Amino acid sequence: MRILSALLLATKGDSSRERRARNVRKTFRMEIKNLTPHNQSLLNNFQFFMKVEKGLSQNSVESYRHDVYDCLLYLDKKAETITVNDIIDFFVKLQELGLSSSSIARKRSALSSFYKFLQEEEIEVKLKFDDVPTVKLSQKLPDVLTVDEMEKLLDSISMENAIGLRNKAMLELMYASGLRISETINLSIHDFIWDERIVRVMGKGSKQRAVPIAEQSLEFVQKYRKEGRSALKKSLETDIFFLNRFGKKLSRMGVWKLIDKLSLECG
């Protein structure tokens, strides 16, 4: 069973890291075939700068190029218009693909150099890269949390208000039923078949599957549905099940930050 696998940072051997890096490039190239001519031109200029002006080795230059290329390929928008949230979304995607925190930290470093280069070239960019969260290598989470560790994290969630009820229900459901973050935040009130204790989940490739709602999470999901969701929804009309404090759909970044915060607080 996956245990919050969408956010657990893995630390593997060299062969595993290489395999994951190949998977990243394969995934992004399936989604978007090529960079736009505009972004490709910026990347070519950056590559020339790193090789000629910085004097880096060919291997180092290629590493920088691949890291920036993957990000631009995934986000598929002009480099100047990319935001902090876009970069975080990219990092979350890398986590979902299983990259280690050290690999993500390297990509962050490459992107930082790229955006510093753009600014030095007097290209106006929207992104202030200092606002992009750093990847803390000393605070890696294991591939699989033990039962005691998971129970400690889940038990730490206060249910004194609607946000707490939501957090408890959402993470209990993810843990017990093995849902990914992207699957969880897209759940609709119509996806739950309460009589049968089943939730319909739209997974990768737009394939729907029926997932049993485990007994240990059902009571928390029901409590959120009856007491928490209406408080968050307020007067807004939405079918999304798990809502943020504004009554709208949660973002992957928001869930990522929540789990990271709870994990650090639990030690």
Side-chain angles (χ1 to χ4, degrees):
M1 178 185 293
R2 291 191 304 271
I3 299 182
L4 299 184
S5 59
L7 280 179
L8 301 185
L9 299 179
T11 308
K12 296 295 187 182
D14 289 341
S15 60
S16 178
R17 286 199 296 270
E18 292 169 0
R19 182 168 60 255
R20 290 178 182 190
R22 289 195 299 270
N23 287 341
V24 169
R25 287 192 286 274
K26 181 180 179 182
T27 299
F28 293 164
R29 287 169 185 173
M30 286 175 63
E31 294 175 357
I32 307 167
K33 291 184 179 180
N34 295 297
L35 292 183
T36 62
H38 174 78
N39 282 349
Q40 186 63 63
S41 176
L42 293 178
L43 183 56
N44 289 344
N45 291 339
F46 174 64
Q47 185 176 356
F48 179 83
F49 170 79
M50 298 301 282
K51 182 177 182 180
V52 176
E53 297 197 33
K54 289 292 186 180
L56 298 185
S57 67
Q58 185 62 34
N59 286 341
S60 295
V61 172
E62 280 299 308
S63 179
Y64 274 92
R65 188 186 74 83
H66 278 304
D67 289 337
V68 176
Y69 176 85
D70 287 344
C71 180
L72 297 177
L73 195 62
Y74 173 68
L75 295 176
D76 193 29
K77 59 194 297 188
K78 290 181 68 174
E80 302 95 314
T81 66
I82 288 174
T83 66
V84 171
N85 285 347
D86 290 329
I87 298 294
I88 293 175
D89 182 64
F90 172 62
F91 288 167
V92 171
K93 181 66 174 180
L94 295 178
Q95 289 178 320
E96 291 181 342
L97 290 171
L99 257 69
S100 68
S101 57
S102 59
S103 295
I104 298 174
R106 189 198 68 218
K107 288 184 182 294
R108 185 191 184 282
S109 177
L111 288 166
S112 177
S113 296
F114 176 66
Y115 276 95
K116 184 178 179 181
F117 162 75
L118 295 183
Q119 291 177 324
E120 289 177 352
E121 292 295 302
E122 298 184 351
I123 297 174
E124 186 175 348
V125 297
K126 190 173 183 179
L127 175 64
K128 184 179 178 182
F129 208 87
D130 287 343
D131 292 337
V132 175
T134 58
V135 180
K136 300 178 181 179
L137 301 180
S138 61
Q139 295 177 333
K140 298 170 186 171
L141 295 173
D143 279 326
V144 179
L145 297 178
T146 66
V147 173
D148 288 342
E149 287 170 334
M150 266 318 298
E151 289 182 349
K152 184 179 178 182
L153 184 150
L154 294 172
D155 288 344
S156 71
I157 302 173
S158 170
M159 294 191 293
E160 295 180 354
N161 53 41
I163 293 293
L165 290 173
R166 180 207 66 195
N167 293 345
K168 182 72 169 177
M170 179 173 64
L171 297 186
E172 287 278 0
L173 180 64
M174 290 174 65
Y175 169 57
S177 298
L179 303 187
R180 299 182 180 90
I181 288 180
S182 57
E183 294 171 341
T184 304
I185 63 176
N186 285 311
L187 289 176
S188 159
I189 56 174
H190 306 297
D191 289 326
F192 291 87
I193 306 175
W194 300 108
D195 291 343
E196 300 180 27
R197 297 182 178 182
I198 286 175
V199 60
R200 292 174 298 193
V201 177
M202 188 66 71
K204 293 182 178 180
S206 297
K207 294 181 179 179
Q208 191 177 74
R209 69 184 191 278
V211 178
I213 304 175
E215 187 69 32
Q216 63 264 38
S217 64
L218 181 61
E219 65 172 295
F220 299 114
V221 176
Q222 288 276 30
K223 188 174 180 63
Y224 164 71
R225 178 174 71 99
K226 296 174 182 177
E227 302 176 26
R229 186 176 179 276
S230 58
L232 294 174
K233 188 171 77 72
K234 304 182 177 82
S235 60
L236 298 176
E237 291 297 325
T238 178
D239 290 338
I240 292 296
F241 190 69
F242 290 113
L243 303 172
N244 64 19
R245 61 192 179 95
F246 301 109
K248 298 181 180 180
K249 187 175 83 169
L250 286 162
S251 66
R252 289 195 299 176
M253 177 185 66
V255 180
W256 173 36
K257 286 184 175 181
L258 168 65
I259 299 178
D260 186 52
K261 178 176 179 291
L262 290 173
S263 299
L264 295 178
E265 288 176 353
C266 290

